[in-house]
Amino acid sequence: MQSQLPLYPPEASNFAPHVDALMIFITSVCVFFAAGITIAIIYFFFKYHRKQVDAIGVPIHGDPRLEAAWIIIPSILALAMFAWGAVVYVDYRHTPSDTLDIYVIGKQWMWKVQQPNGLKEINELHVPVGRNIRLILASEDVIHDFFVPAFRVKMDVIPGYNRYNTMWFRPTKAGRYHFFCSQYCGTNHALMGGWVTVMEPTEYAAWLSGSGAGGANPVAVGEKLFAEKACITCHLANGTGRAPSLNGLYGAQVLLAGGATVTADEAYIRESILQPNAKIVARYEPLMPPYQGQLTEEQVIALTEYIKSLRSQPVPVKGSGIAPVRGDETAPAPEKR
Amino acid sequence: MHRTGELYGQFQTLEQQKESSTLGMWIFLVTEVLFFGGMFLTYTINRHQYFTAFGIGSNTLDIKLGTINTGVLILSSLTMAMAVWSAQVGKKGLVTGFLIATLALGTVFLGIKVVEYKQKFDHHLIPGHGFDVWYQVDNTKPETEMGKKLLDDEREELHKATLTDPDIQSHAQLYFSLYFAMTGLHALHMIVGAGLLIWLIKLSMRGRFTPQYNTPVEIVGLYWHFVDIVWIYLFPLLYLIDRHR
Amino acid sequence: MSTAPLVPEHELPDTHYLNATYGSGRSIRAWLLTTDHKRIALLYLASVTVFFFIGGIFATMIRIHLLTPGGALVSPETYNKLFTMHGVAMIFFFLIPSIPAILGNFLIPIMIGAKDLAFPKINLLSWYIYLIGGCFVLYSFGTGGLDTGWTFYTPLSSIYSNSAVTPAVIGIFINGFSSILTGLNFIVTIHTMRAPGMTWFRLPLFVWAHYATSLVMILGTPVVAITLLLAGLERMFHLGFFNPSMGGDPILFQHLFWFYSHPAVYIMILPAMGVVSEIIPTFARKPIFGYSFIAASSIAIAVIGFFVWAHHMFVTGESTYAALAFSFLSYLVAIPSAIKVFNWTATLYKGSISWDPPMIYALGFIGLFTIGGLTGLSLACLGLDIHVHDTYFVVAHFHYIMVGGAVMGYVGGLHFWWPKITGRLYPKALSRFAAIVLFIGFNLTFFPQFILGYLGMPRRYHSYPPEFQVLNVLSTAGASILAVGYLLPMLYLFWSMRYGKVAGPNPWPATGLEWKTDSPPPTENFHVTPVVDWEPYDYRNRPDLGLAAGGPLAPAHGDD
Amino acid sequence: MSEHSEHIVSPIVYMVIFFALIAGTTVTVLAAFQNFGQFNIVIALGIATAKATLVVLYFMHARYSPRRTQLVIVCAVFWLAIMLALTLSDYQTRQQHLSRIVPPAALYRA
Ligand code: HEA
Ligand code: HEA
Ligand code: CUA
Ligand SMILES: [Cu+2]
């Protein structure tokens, strides 16, 4: 900590310096106006204090030039604040592609965290310094909010089958920092917090494998589930089954019946498992049974992780709903159904 | 405030009084637009997401009754407009007649609504614990070949719908929640309107409405027409989803 | 008293609205069945004050509880109920009706030269609706209270909470119609009941502000009514409009809620701005700077205020594009507020400024509102809001605007028109002292919360990490000073109703039409219908005010 | 205030409007049984709006009302539009992530 009474929390992520700079800028503008107006009021108050009981003031009705000035100048400043804030915000929402994905599940009143190798934590989150981290957030009951002041990041965690919120950051300083639930969620909302531990990458790796007894690798779990739940009967890897191959699905553009495309991100995969018929892949029949209510939140995550792990494998030639890489000019236009 | 004849004490002239009442009613209708608007928004977003379930729900409604009711309500709007006209031209007897006709039509509308609600109740389509979209196809004993075929079609539809939307129970329930909230609120407005009409009829029988003083008829008319407009939207939105299958 | 003009001793008029005999005599019935807007205003004054007390007591308990990190006073459930009930009582039952239903009700007909509002019976009805709604909410408070936060976010409020949510929601639903009917009444009155000569651009700015407020009331309130109705139905009958486990969408609730509740913050602040726009020219004794800009900015705030609601939802995962649009629009709505602040300040220039109590409140309002509004700009900033959303920074922002701004304006307005309402003056020295106590206590309470918020203390926390304690203790200390600052005016205003010096029709003197009639005014407001032939806030051509006006300007300031 | 002197609409106009409304209802029902794809809802709401407009203009006399009343009506529609449009704008653009925007054309093979 800085001093006895710090004015801002530690800066421990890539966003922190930007947000603090933004804060300083806006606060300066605020102080400028607040001080200017206060000083003007005090000055006028004394300077033009009533000297005679029946004195009246000089009748001045207004001045269009002044009005124009104090419409235009604040507008410009406001625009600057908006623009700068927007730039930072777009950065928040622009997740890089090389992230380490960690699942975070909120429920009244605790956080369950699952590391990429399946290690589970409760009210603790370990991350390596210098890596881009993406948190994938889901809620089991009401709305929560994951908030790390030292990272200046915060995102609501919303219940519902078609909703994952995500957020990303890059820790820049090793240490232990508070995280909080910052959306009011009932009785023990205030206790629904914990600690983020930012470690050196080597330590992190050691920690992951060292305390690895906590859980199995979700990809492996997912692979087993994929067989157990009969996914594999339809989703043949070579794309010849009744269902599209899932190889290379993650991150690709999927063409849907009706002509729209979606990006196959976690939310899409999750939805495709729980409510497959919400979005039908072009050229396939809506055969897949919905798994809503048949899989636990953890199993969904495991399956999703497994499907994501198929990313590196080659995309099958035929039958997949996945759009090929960009630039394939010879591709025929999608047919209308 | 002291009243002098038709003029309330806070006003200077009858003109001013009429102007105020009419403006007041229009502004009240603005609030009504936004009141119903909130529900229409809820409806839009849910329908967009659960189109299949909404179609299933909508197809259980009785389109004949719905259409008849639309006609009845439009007719009542006509008689209401005629009541205003009669007051404006000073035909006192006609005013009473048209008001009574409007009230009667309004009552018919509500009666038909009750019949429809009763049907939903019998078919276990009231949101809540007993709700079951399958109830009707499972528990009806068709008497004719035709009826049997229709029932089979319906079962088929439901099966198909369940494939696309496994949670059809919840989502159809969402449809019926909106159906009852929207039509219920509409019916409540009708009941208030009927009360206002009874009040008008009483005044009218005493011969109170003249070409000079007919503001009450006019502003109740505005209200009644507005309730009609709400129905004009409710009808296609609730009854006519996915009818062409 | 040295700066007050030398006025002859006054006597109360023989009959006025307070002692006039109505049909049923001077009984309590004559009050409860009155259709006189002035009496209804006093009925509101009484009931709104009760809710302010209730809300204030909850606030005090909140602050005491937060003295220690673990929570000093109550259990977590109780704490959650405290801030919820504090918010509900203060917002829906105190601040929204305060200025419009009390001062607006009392003054608008008089200011425009009418005998009453256009619909006096509806006016009385809206007070009863307010009472019924209030009873439901009090019932909810009494039977265990509710713990959803004043924002009632689903699915917490509709499914998970097991406190007395339903009666509270019904109460707020009912209360909404009170607000709607008041707004409707004002709009119609302002349109159709103006006295001869009272053109739109001669209307006092107080009336303009209330016109804008009424617009928000009639356009926004129905939406929150239906939203809460749906949430209430969902709770009572287990429906699924907003419940994700039944397919509903919790974010939709937030959209609907904020569609009203953002504009509603302007229901709270616009009337206070109207009050300030009356006080400043009166005590600077000169026309307000930029009359038409202030009038137009009220309307602009009311209209643009409807375009920004989703700035409360930047971190819900709302679409990035929508967030950008809503942030931009939030900055737009700040411009009309800026216009007002600058024009008020400019009005002081070359004025003849006194420091009568209402003026101290008005100047305090400008300062505190400015700080509150400017920190609103930090919140509207996308990149920054991610960090400070739902922290004490937000709490400080809205208390600066609502307590430092709106409540200051309300108390200032009470001081300004008290002589008109009761016919009597209150002790000036004491009230200056109270205003200063209020100002100091307020800043001490809420300034530390800005820092707390930026440090990351989330709001609605019944316990917090120990590093936040120092600032919390400061805040609690401030709150106790603040309580004194509110207690004092209540006492001396009450005292003055009986023992205060008789004020006479125009003690300040001010230029508005309301000061041309007796204090307290007669039942029909004016003995003869007034004809307006002067411009608003004009001191120069108003010999009837008895000031050194008319000819060349009086030597107002020794130096220039 | 002579501009507010009332305009009496003749019963013939009322009858014409009435039949237009009935016709509109009939067309709506018939159209609902045809498959126009996306356009079913557009047709239904289009007709409903036309009907509502007729009611407002003639039964409610808006056509003959003072400007101020007409303004009130426009405001109602406008605010309703704000509510629907701005909320839907969020829902319509929610799925798109800034980082994943790709030019739409010729990107896929079906
Ligand atoms: C009376 C009440 C009131 C008023 C008037 C305002 C006014 C404003 N509010 Fe505030 N606000 C609240 C009450 C109010 N607010 C409440 C209660 C909450 C919390 C709700 C909850 O979650 O419980 C809240 C929350 C809130 C948020 C959400 C925060 C969050 O939860 O993350 C935001 C975000 O944009 C915001 C912004 C603004 C803005 C931009 C204004 C603007 O209108 C301010 C305009 C004024 C000025 C700008 C000052 C004067 C101008 C100058 C001196 C000139 C200089 C100007 C420029 C350079 C532009 N407010
Ligand atoms: C008009 C609105 C209004 C007003 C006037 C106030 C007034 C005050 N508020 Fe409130 N507040 C809100 C609206 C308001 N608040 C809202 C909307 C919330 C959010 C709720 C939520 O999260 O859902 C909130 C939340 C809120 C919190 C955050 C709680 C949390 O997030 O955990 C705090 C904490 O300090 C607080 C404090 C205060 C204090 C000290 C006052 C003081 O100004 C009060 C001073 C008044 C009195 C004390 C009463 C009068 C004095 C007497 C009767 C004298 C006798 C009494 C004693 C000696 C005790 N308020
Ligand atoms: Cu979870 Cu607050
Ligand atoms: Cu807001």
Side-chain angles (χ1 to χ4, degrees):
Chain A
M1 294 280 138
Q2 299 101 337
S3 60
Q4 268 314 100
L5 261 185
L7 292 177
Y8 54 92
E11 291 187 333
S13 83
N14 58 322
F15 293 122
H18 295 294
V19 172
D20 287 351
L22 194 49
M23 180 69 183
I24 289 169
F25 167 63
I26 294 187
T27 308
S28 328
V29 176
C30 293
V31 168
F32 172 76
F33 280 104
I37 283 164
T38 312
I39 291 169
I41 290 177
I42 294 175
Y43 176 75
F44 290 156
F45 187 79
F46 288 106
K47 165 119 186 189
Y48 300 114
H49 205 83
R50 191 176 297 162
K51 308 283 189 318
Q52 276 173 330
V53 278
D54 60 350
I56 67 168
V58 181
I60 309 168
H61 288 272
D63 181 346
R65 282 164 307 168
L66 264 180
E67 302 285 352
W70 61 50
I71 291 174
I72 292 169
I73 294 171
S75 301
I76 293 172
L77 285 167
L79 212 63
M81 295 183 199
F82 164 73
W84 191 349
V87 169
V88 176
Y89 185 76
V90 168
D91 196 14
Y92 271 110
R93 292 288 172 266
H94 184 118
T95 314
S97 50
D98 59 341
T99 52
L100 185 72
D101 290 353
I102 299 176
Y103 284 87
V104 176
I105 301 170
K107 61 178 278 196
Q108 282 177 332
W109 290 277
M110 60 185 282
W111 294 101
K112 291 191 283 189
V113 172
Q114 185 172 327
Q115 294 285 348
N117 71 345
L119 186 79
K120 295 209 178 89
E121 307 180 69
I122 288 190
N123 293 344
E124 288 280 342
L125 170 65
H126 287 75
V127 287
V129 73
R131 270 296 292 278
N132 292 333
I133 313 285
R134 182 166 62 145
L135 302 187
I136 301 169
L137 306 156
S139 163
E140 291 188 357
D141 36 45
V142 301
I143 306 178
H144 302 276
D145 184 297
F146 194 83
F147 174 32
V148 192
F151 296 166
R152 314 286 190 276
V153 293
K154 174 182 288 144
M155 192 61 168
D156 276 6
V157 184
I158 311 239
Y161 73 82
N162 56 355
R163 222 185 263 287
Y164 270 137
N165 274 343
T166 63
M167 72 182 187
W168 82 277
F169 53 84
R170 186 173 59 248
T172 51
K173 222 167 79 187
R176 252 167 94 70
Y177 309 102
H178 265 302
F179 72 78
F180 299 112
C181 174
S182 129
Q183 177 61 262
Y184 175 66
C185 54
T187 310
N188 282 328
H189 160 63
L191 305 182
M192 192 174 160
W195 294 91
V196 187
T197 310
V198 181
M199 312 163 107
E200 291 304 327
T202 45
E203 281 177 51
Y204 173 73
W207 173 82
L208 262 192
S209 49
S211 47
N217 183 339
V219 175
V221 175
E223 188 166 11
K224 239 174 78 199
L225 278 170
F226 201 74
E228 275 170 16
K229 300 282 174 187
C231 317
I232 205 160
T233 54
C234 301
H235 290 282
L236 302 185
N238 58 11
T240 54
R242 287 183 286 169
S245 161
L246 300 178
N247 288 11
L249 171 67
Y250 180 64
Q253 296 283 315
V254 177
L255 179 64
L256 301 180
T261 43
V262 289
T263 308
D265 53 9
E266 284 81 4
Y268 170 77
I269 295 179
R270 174 185 174 79
E271 187 188 50
S272 294
I273 298 172
L274 297 178
Q275 296 270 295
N277 301 305
K279 300 197 178 67
I280 307 289
V281 181
R283 292 199 153 182
Y284 284 89
E285 290 298 313
L287 293 177
M288 173 162 161
Y291 283 82
Q292 170 112 54
Q294 307 187 23
L295 298 170
T296 65
E297 198 63 50
E298 266 111 1
Q299 286 175 320
V300 178
I301 287 172
L303 279 169
T304 312
E305 275 309 300
Y306 170 65
I307 295 172
K308 278 166 68 178
S309 76
L310 302 175
R311 194 184 200 170
S312 50
Q313 297 170 26
V315 181
V317 205
K318 231 168 78 178
S320 168
I322 301 166
V325 234
R326 52 197 302 177
D328 188 352
E329 303 295 336
T330 58
E335 11 170 349
K336 277 257 155 60
R337 292 219 309 182
Chain B
M1 281 286 152
H2 331 282
R3 280 183 59 183
T4 46
E6 260 92 47
L7 184 64
Y8 284 84
Q10 72 272 27
F11 297 111
Q12 310 278 355
T13 60
L14 264 177
E15 190 85 35
Q16 188 191 26
Q17 173 173 329
K18 182 180 170 96
E19 214 192 330
S20 301
S21 320
T22 323
L23 183 62
M25 182 43 93
W26 273 109
I27 291 177
F28 179 72
L29 295 184
V30 174
T31 69
E32 290 277 26
V33 167
L34 283 141
F35 189 72
F36 279 99
M39 275 207 286
F40 278 107
L41 179 58
T42 312
Y43 170 89
T44 310
I45 283 172
N46 282 306
R47 167 179 161 145
H48 185 74
Q49 208 150 17
Y50 308 118
F51 186 75
T52 322
F54 272 51
I56 292 289
S58 173
N59 279 330
T60 66
L61 297 187
D62 189 330
I63 199 162
K64 260 196 235 94
L65 290 182
T67 314
I68 292 172
N69 244 354
T70 312
V72 168
L73 207 53
I74 292 176
L75 188 58
S76 83
S77 251
L78 177 68
T79 55
M80 189 71 227
M82 290 305 291
V84 175
W85 173 79
S86 317
Q88 285 171 338
V89 298
K91 302 196 169 79
K92 294 190 176 183
L94 274 185
V95 182
T96 316
F98 278 121
L99 287 176
I100 291 176
T102 313
L103 180 61
L105 289 166
T107 316
V108 170
F109 178 92
L110 287 171
I112 295 183
K113 209 74 234 153
V114 170
V115 173
E116 292 191 70
Y117 280 6
K118 173 77 172 42
Q119 259 177 26
K120 297 292 144 255
F121 183 79
D122 291 342
H123 295 169
H124 285 224
L125 291 176
I126 309 279
H129 286 307
F131 185 89
D132 186 2
V133 270
W134 289 95
Y135 182 87
Q136 206 215 340
V137 288
D138 288 347
N139 292 282
T140 316
K141 305 214 170 28
E143 272 135 35
T144 59
E145 266 313 292
M146 181 67 177
K148 189 164 159 12
K149 193 181 164 315
L150 276 178
L151 206 61
D152 284 342
D153 282 356
E154 224 169 290
R155 183 172 293 119
E156 177 61 28
E157 285 289 321
L158 258 175
H159 268 297
K160 266 204 352 233
T162 315
L163 280 179
T164 40
D165 185 352
D167 211 5
I168 194 117
Q169 287 282 16
S170 286
H171 300 158
Q173 196 161 332
L174 209 51
Y175 169 82
F176 280 102
S177 306
L178 282 162
Y179 169 79
F180 281 108
M182 293 170 108
T183 57
L185 218 56
H186 178 260
L188 198 67
H189 278 79
M190 297 283 294
I191 292 170
V192 171
L196 293 172
L197 282 171
I198 291 172
W199 170 67
L200 285 187
I201 292 168
K202 268 195 194 150
L203 288 183
S204 170
M205 297 221 275
R206 278 187 237 140
R208 284 289 299 279
F209 300 124
T210 61
Q212 289 74 42
Y213 177 73
N214 51 39
T215 320
V217 189
E218 200 181 311
I219 63 172
V220 172
L222 289 180
Y223 175 83
W224 193 263
H225 297 308
F226 170 78
V227 177
D228 185 20
I229 291 178
V230 173
W231 183 260
I232 286 179
Y233 280 97
L234 286 183
F235 174 61
L237 288 181
L238 292 174
Y239 286 72
L240 302 180
I241 310 173
D242 226 7
R243 280 281 174 184
H244 50 76
R245 287 177 306 173
Chain C
M1 293 282 170
S2 62
T3 52
L6 298 172
V7 280
E9 285 298 315
H10 288 287
E11 283 175 23
L12 290 181
D14 290 335
T15 52
H16 47 77
Y17 78 104
L18 290 167
N19 67 5
T21 44
Y22 288 78
S24 42
R26 294 177 62 180
S27 60
I28 186 104
R29 257 190 83 200
W31 276 90
L32 292 181
L33 296 180
T34 183
T35 54
D36 183 345
H37 65 103
K38 300 181 286 301
R39 287 188 163 205
I40 296 172
L42 291 192
L43 294 176
Y44 267 114
L45 177 62
S47 40
V48 162
T49 306
V50 169
F51 274 99
F52 181 61
F53 256 96
I54 296 176
I57 287 170
F58 290 145
T60 315
M61 290 168 76
I62 293 178
R63 283 309 339 157
I64 296 177
H65 180 85
L66 293 179
L67 269 174
T68 61
L73 193 62
V74 292
S75 67
E77 285 94 346
T78 315
Y79 180 82
N80 295 343
K81 288 174 180 167
L82 283 178
F83 69 70
T84 304
M85 298 189 294
H86 167 69
V88 168
M90 284 295 198
I91 298 244
F92 293 111
F93 291 90
F94 165 64
L95 198 51
I96 287 181
S98 64
I99 302 181
I102 299 169
L103 296 174
N105 223 336
F106 193 99
L107 292 163
I108 287 176
I110 312 186
M111 281 180 162
I112 65 175
K115 289 188 201 155
D116 204 322
L117 288 172
F119 310 113
K121 284 185 191 154
I122 290 184
N123 195 18
L124 180 65
L125 177 67
S126 64
W127 180 68
Y128 276 103
I129 295 177
Y130 170 84
L131 270 198
I132 297 171
C135 288
F136 270 94
V137 164
L138 289 180
Y139 172 80
S140 150
F141 290 1
T143 53
L146 71 162
D147 68 352
T148 58
W150 81 279
T151 47
F152 293 99
Y153 277 10
T154 51
L156 180 66
S157 66
S158 61
I159 308 291
Y160 287 86
S161 167
N162 41 27
S163 56
V165 181
T166 312
V169 164
I170 294 175
I172 296 169
F173 174 79
I174 294 175
N175 184 41
F177 291 94
S178 163
S179 198
I180 290 175
L181 292 179
T182 305
L184 187 156
N185 224 334
F186 284 174
I187 292 194
V188 174
T189 306
I190 296 170
H191 267 290
T192 62
M193 311 279 285
R194 282 170 284 129
M198 182 52 89
T199 58
W200 280 94
F201 286 97
R202 282 181 181 166
L203 285 176
L205 290 168
F206 182 83
V207 176
W208 272 105
H210 275 79
Y211 187 81
T213 309
S214 307
L215 280 181
V216 182
M217 285 175 164
I218 58 163
L219 290 165
T221 319
V223 178
V224 81
I226 192 68
T227 312
L228 291 179
L229 183 69
L230 291 179
L233 289 175
E234 172 163 326
R235 190 174 169 83
M236 286 183 272
F237 303 112
H238 302 282
L239 309 179
F241 304 116
F242 308 122
N243 174 9
S245 63
M246 299 189 51
D249 185 346
I251 302 296
L252 176 60
F253 175 87
Q254 298 183 14
H255 272 297
L256 287 165
F257 181 84
W258 291 116
F259 179 83
Y260 164 75
S261 292
H262 180 82
V265 308
Y266 298 117
I267 299 182
M268 308 177 217
I269 200 69
L270 278 168
M273 291 168 156
V275 169
V276 171
S277 304
E278 296 295 312
I279 295 180
I280 302 256
T282 301
F283 296 95
R285 293 235 179 111
K286 65 194 283 287
I288 195 149
F289 196 89
Y291 171 94
S292 48
F293 282 90
I294 298 190
S297 64
S298 290
I299 306 295
I301 289 178
V303 174
I304 306 175
F306 273 97
F307 293 83
V308 308
W309 74 82
H311 66 202
H312 295 269
M313 300 162 58
F314 286 154
V315 301
T316 52
E318 83 178 324
S319 133
T320 310
Y321 299 100
L324 288 168
F326 280 109
S327 166
F328 181 76
L329 290 163
S330 302
Y331 280 106
L332 270 194
V333 80
I335 303 302
S337 301
I339 294 176
K340 281 183 197 275
V341 169
F342 292 127
N343 278 309
W344 291 323
T345 313
T347 305
L348 299 175
Y349 176 68
K350 295 205 174 170
S352 163
I353 303 171
S354 77
W355 66 313
D356 288 298
M359 188 64 162
I360 303 185
Y361 283 104
L363 297 180
F365 170 96
I366 301 180
L368 299 181
F369 168 75
T370 301
I371 297 179
L374 288 168
T375 50
L377 298 179
S378 318
L379 295 171
C381 176
L382 287 164
L384 208 49
D385 185 59
I386 291 196
H387 177 57
V388 290
H389 170 76
D390 263 348
T391 65
Y392 263 80
F393 194 92
V394 178
V395 175
H397 154 68
F398 66 72
H399 281 93
Y400 259 83
I401 292 200
M402 297 201 297
V403 184
V407 181
M408 273 274 190
Y410 166 63
V411 180
L414 274 185
H415 280 81
F416 185 45
W417 283 292
W418 197 251
K420 182 53 64 186
I421 295 173
T422 64
R424 292 178 186 274
L425 289 167
Y426 42 82
K428 274 194 187 173
L430 185 55
S431 57
R432 281 190 193 112
F433 173 70
I436 290 165
V437 170
L438 195 60
F439 188 82
I440 294 171
F442 173 81
N443 280 300
L444 190 54
T445 311
F446 293 108
F447 197 81
Q449 297 186 358
F450 281 124
I451 305 170
L452 269 179
Y454 200 72
L455 282 175
M457 174 165 166
R459 55 192 283 211
R460 299 169 169 176
Y461 261 31
H462 63 78
S463 74
Y464 52 86
E467 63 258 30
F468 297 139
Q469 188 175 10
V470 179
L471 291 163
N472 270 301
V473 170
L474 272 183
S475 176
T476 303
S480 45
I481 302 178
L482 185 57
V484 176
Y486 281 120
L487 198 57
L488 279 177
M490 284 195 198
L491 295 179
Y492 65 72
L493 286 180
F494 198 67
W495 174 89
S496 75
M497 286 194 334
R498 185 141 203 157
Y499 305 104
K501 198 160 137 282
V502 175
N506 195 355
W508 303 123
T511 56
L513 204 46
E514 76 271 28
W515 303 102
K516 301 271 288 179
T517 186
D518 297 344
S519 312
T523 301
E524 65 279 9
N525 291 347
F526 296 94
H527 297 293
V528 285
T529 304
V531 178
V532 182
D533 58 0
W534 64 88
E535 298 306 313
Y537 313 110
D538 180 13
Y539 276 90
R540 199 144 179 212
N541 309 308
R542 290 291 298 279
D544 55 319
L545 298 175
L547 298 173
L553 279 180
H557 331 95
D559 39 8
D560 56 6
Chain D
M1 299 216 171
S2 57
E3 60 159 324
H4 302 309
S5 70
E6 65 189 8
H7 181 282
I8 299 178
V9 185
S10 98
I12 301 174
V13 175
Y14 287 149
M15 290 308 287
V16 171
I17 300 301
F18 170 72
F19 284 112
L21 292 176
I22 294 293
T25 309
T26 319
V27 176
T28 317
V29 175
L30 294 180
F33 285 95
Q34 308 304 316
N35 188 356
F36 297 109
Q38 302 264 305
F39 289 99
N40 272 78
I41 180 71
V42 178
I43 293 169
L45 287 183
I47 297 177
T49 305
K51 282 160 72 184
T53 313
L54 288 180
V55 173
V56 171
L57 286 182
Y58 294 97
F59 282 0
M60 297 169 87
H61 307 161
R63 205 182 142 190
Y64 314 103
S65 300
R67 268 286 155 74
R68 184 204 287 155
T69 309
Q70 294 173 347
L71 188 68
V72 170
I73 300 168
V74 171
C75 281
V77 176
F78 179 66
W79 257 268
L80 185 65
I82 295 176
M83 181 170 75
L84 297 177
L86 283 183
T87 308
L88 292 175
S89 78
D90 172 22
Y91 281 82
Q92 285 310 308
T93 53
R94 189 116 20 100
Q95 298 301 324
Q96 297 162 18
H97 302 284
L98 281 183
S99 53
R100 305 256 168 79
I101 297 176
V102 277
L107 266 186
Y108 23 63
R109 167 189 53 168

